[in-house]
Every structure is written in structure tokens, then in C-alpha cells.
């Protein structure tokens, strides 16, 4: 199957990363957000990301212009009518995601696969909102999207073999990432494992076993992590990590998924990580650690 135009619902951190990666692969991207203001902010962040790549000689000014020219900003889900695939990337709110899938099911032709980037929610429950649940699938990209060459492809209870095969072809042939088949379970593979690691790092921090920077250095240097667990938490968003932990705790009932108290305190204080400039570490407006 030929893939030419991809729809992305949501222009937050993950939506921006996915849109930039797709446009960089030569695909036309329709990026939809609820307001023009959010779309304009997303474009500013995309330009910052591309400028950083130019500084490192990773892309040229011409390539930057080409990438931006392939991203089309819209405020209506109706804009996805002629897309070959749609990827939903809004916040982890089940009711909001259900509403998006109800609309997508009406807007998109029957052959179009509808994917969600959810990290914890049930694909089966989202698919139940549509008339064709067999075309709903999970495409869980990891942050930063352009640097992580792996995508979890999650099958809901009624996801068809055809939808899975098409999605795997898209992941491995078109955007050239490794597709990992996952059957639906809270947190899938990556979120389930990394959240437990982050939560344990939070316990180590709250017990004053080591300072935040030393905990992260131990894991970065000792185990060759790109980011330490606390900086990962900052970059994912502390509120997002808390929501994932709470959902897995409810689903599994296992205390290992119970969020550390310090995580709840930080979220209540509004220290959500990179997006607010303050988490376990401080960040500038470009998202670089201070």
C-alpha cells in the first residue's frame, strides 16, 4: 500500500514529534488541534527543533523548509477525509479519545486505519466507539520520536490481521522503524516497565539515598541510558507519569504500580517537568536542561 498523507490528531509534544518525523520521511501531514493558538505554538516548537538540527548540521535550511511545507495545520477533524492513516496523540483522557474516534469513524473512509498513540488506555474500549473496531490499532511512539527507532504496534481485541499487516508495513517500510507486536495490556511493554523504574527512582530520591543528579548519572553512565529515570519523568511530564501509574495500579491492583508520594506532591505543586520548565531538574524554553 502507498502512504502519502497521514493525519495527526493533537499538536502537543508527541504530536509535534510524530508530525516532524513523518514530514522528514517525505510524507504529507495534516496536523489538527482544537485552536489556532495551539497550532501556532506547535509550529514555533517545530521550528526550534529543526533549528537545533541545523546547528548540528543534521539538516540544511532547504530541508527545514521542505519539512515545514509538508505539515498542514487544521482545526477540524474533517480535514482527515483524504488521509491514508490517522494517528491520535491527544492527552490520556479516555472520554476525549472516545469522542475523537467516534468522529474519525464517520470522517475517514472504511479502509483507513485509525491508530492511537496511547500509552495506557484500552484500544478495545476506544475501538468499541466505532462501527468498524477491526481498523483501530495502537501505534505507541516513544519520546523523542525521531531518535527512537522502535514503535509498539498494539492489537485490540478486534483488530484485524489486515489492519495489523498494513500498520506494520507502514512502520517498517515507510518510516523505517522496528515494529514490536504487543497484545493489549495496561501499559503495554515500554510504559509498564519504565514507569516502575521511574517510580523506584522516586522512592530512592525521597529516602535520600542519593541526590537527583546522582541517581540519573548512575543509570546513564552505569547502564548506558540516554536519560536518567528522573529526567525521563520530566520529559514525559510528571502528570502523564502519575496518570499512567494510577491507571496501572487500578488495573493490576499491585502495589509496585502505586505512585510514589513525591510524584503526587510535585504534580500538585505544578512542577510537571520540561513543559513547565521545572521538575526534578530545570529547563529553558527550548527544552534543554539548565
Amino acid at each position: 500500500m502507498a502512504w502519502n498523507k497521514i493525519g495527526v490528531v493533537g499538536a502537543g509534544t508527541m504530536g509535534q514529534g510524530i508530525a516532524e518525523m513523518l514530514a522528514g520521511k517525505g510524507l504529507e501531514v495534516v496536523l489538527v488541534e482544537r485552536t489556532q493558538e495551539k497550532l501556532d505554538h506547535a509550529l514555533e516548537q517545530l521550528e526550534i527543533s529543526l533549528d537545533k538540527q541545523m546547528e548540528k548540521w543534521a539538516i540544511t535550511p532547504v530541508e527545514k523548509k521542505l519539512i515545514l511545507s509538508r505539515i498542514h495545520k487544521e482545526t477540524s477533524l474533517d480535514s482527515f477525509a483524504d488521509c491514508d492513516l490517522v494517528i491520535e496523540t491527544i492527552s490520556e483522557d479516555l472520554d476525549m479519545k472516545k469522542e475523537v474516534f467516534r468522529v474519525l469513524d464517520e470522517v475517514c473512509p472504511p479502509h483507513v486505519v485509525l491508530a492511537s498513540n496511547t500509552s495506557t488506555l484500552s484500544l478495545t474500549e476506544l475501538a468499541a466507539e466505532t462501527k468498524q473496531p477491526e481498523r483501530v490499532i495502537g501505534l505507541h511512539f516513544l519520546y523523542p520520536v525521531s531518535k527512537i527507532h522502535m514503535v509498539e504496534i498494539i492489537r485490540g481485541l478486534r483488530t484485524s490481521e489486515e489492519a495489523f499487516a498494513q500498520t506494520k508495513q507502514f512502520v517498517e517500510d515507510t518510516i523505517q522503524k522496528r515494529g514490536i507486536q504487543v497484545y493489549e495490556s495496561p501499559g503495554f511493554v515500554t510504559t509498564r516497565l519504565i514507569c516502575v523504574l521511574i517510580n523506584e527512582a522516586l522512592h530512592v530520591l525521597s529516602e535520600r539515598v542519593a541526590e537527583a543528579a546522582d541517581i540519573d548519572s548512575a543509570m546513564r553512565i552505569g547502564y548506558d541510558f540516554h536519560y536518567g529515570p528522573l529526567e525521563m519523568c520530566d520529559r514525559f511530564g510528571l502528570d502523564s507519569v502519575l496518570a499512567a501509574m494510577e491507571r496501572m495500579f487500578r488495573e493490576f491492583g499491585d502495589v509496585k504500580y502505586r505512585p510514589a508520594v513525591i510524584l503526587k506532591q510535585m504534580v500538585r505543586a505544578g512542577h510537571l517537568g520540561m513543559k513547565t520548565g521545572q521538575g526534578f531538574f530545570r529547563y529553558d524554553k527550548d527544552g534543554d536542561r539548565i
Side-chain angles (χ1 to χ4, degrees):
M1 178 176 176
W3 307 88
N4 300 305
K5 184 183 286 189
I6 311 298
V8 178
V9 188
T13 302
M14 289 305 295
Q16 292 164 28
I18 292 169
E20 180 187 322
M21 178 273 297
L22 294 172
K25 297 291 184 181
L27 297 163
E28 296 295 315
V29 181
V30 179
L31 181 62
V32 168
E33 240 318 339
R34 285 178 293 180
T35 66
Q36 189 63 45
E37 182 182 7
K38 289 185 176 181
L39 282 171
D40 292 340
H41 176 70
L43 187 63
E44 288 175 15
Q45 295 302 118
L46 282 166
E47 291 217 42
I48 288 171
S49 173
L50 294 170
D51 286 341
K52 285 182 181 178
Q53 292 178 54
M54 282 201 303
E55 289 172 7
K56 297 175 182 176
W57 299 84
I59 61 172
T60 66
V62 172
E63 287 173 319
K64 173 190 169 182
K65 286 183 180 179
L66 280 172
I67 290 170
L68 291 174
S69 72
R70 295 187 187 116
I71 300 174
H72 311 285
K73 301 181 297 177
E74 301 288 348
T75 55
S76 171
L77 295 176
D78 292 339
S79 308
F80 295 137
D82 61 345
C83 287
D84 303 312
L85 167 72
V86 178
I87 305 170
E88 170 273 314
T89 73
I90 67 172
S91 59
E92 294 286 271
D93 183 304
L94 183 60
D95 291 333
M96 287 174 60
K97 285 182 185 286
K98 282 182 175 181
E99 177 58 28
V100 167
F101 274 84
R102 279 195 290 269
V103 176
L104 291 177
D105 192 48
E106 296 294 331
V107 169
C108 300
H111 68 277
V112 175
V113 173
L114 306 179
S116 175
N117 186 55
T118 181
S119 57
T120 58
L121 299 177
S122 166
L123 272 304
T124 300
E125 195 167 352
L126 292 177
E129 298 298 313
T130 71
K131 296 172 185 172
Q132 294 176 295
E134 63 276 4
R135 65 167 168 167
V136 176
I137 200 164
L139 265 182
H140 184 216
F141 293 86
L142 301 185
Y143 178 88
V145 178
S146 60
K147 294 181 180 178
I148 305 297
H149 302 295
M150 187 282 299
V151 184
E152 287 181 297
I153 306 174
I154 304 104
R155 303 179 70 137
L157 184 63
R158 295 187 61 185
T159 302
S160 69
E161 287 294 337
E162 183 183 7
F164 175 77
Q166 286 182 2
T167 307
K168 189 174 177 65
Q169 180 201 31
F170 169 75
V171 168
E172 299 196 337
D173 296 344
T174 305
I175 62 173
Q176 298 171 325
K177 293 182 183 290
R178 174 71 184 275
I180 305 297
Q181 178 176 232
V182 179
Y183 291 92
E184 184 176 305
S185 177
F188 314 131
V189 174
T190 55
T191 300
R192 182 171 172 177
L193 295 179
I194 204 63
C195 279
V196 175
L197 173 65
I198 289 171
N199 207 43
E200 195 59 33
L202 295 173
H203 285 306
V204 170
L205 178 66
S206 60
E207 291 165 15
R208 298 186 179 182
V209 175
E211 297 294 326
D214 289 332
I215 292 169
D216 271 20
S217 293
M219 299 308 292
R220 276 193 306 103
I221 301 168
Y223 289 92
D224 201 24
F225 281 30
H226 188 68
Y227 297 117
L230 299 178
E231 186 169 350
M232 279 187 209
C233 190
D234 280 350
R235 292 184 178 277
F236 294 155
L238 274 68
D239 53 338
S240 298
V241 174
L242 177 60
M245 293 296 302
E246 288 178 334
R247 179 165 290 277
M248 288 190 289
F249 185 41
R250 285 196 303 272
E251 293 282 347
F252 290 113
D254 192 319
V255 293
K256 70 182 177 183
Y257 300 111
R258 185 169 61 198
V261 173
I262 191 173
L263 179 61
K264 294 181 179 181
Q265 290 173 332
M266 294 282 280
V267 171
R268 287 169 187 155
H271 299 323
L272 307 183
M274 188 179 72
K275 58 188 170 185
T276 60
Q278 176 70 59
F280 295 102
F281 305 101
R282 292 174 58 227
Y283 303 84
D284 62 23
K285 66 178 183 178
D286 296 340
D288 294 322
R289 249 179 80 174
I290 298 173

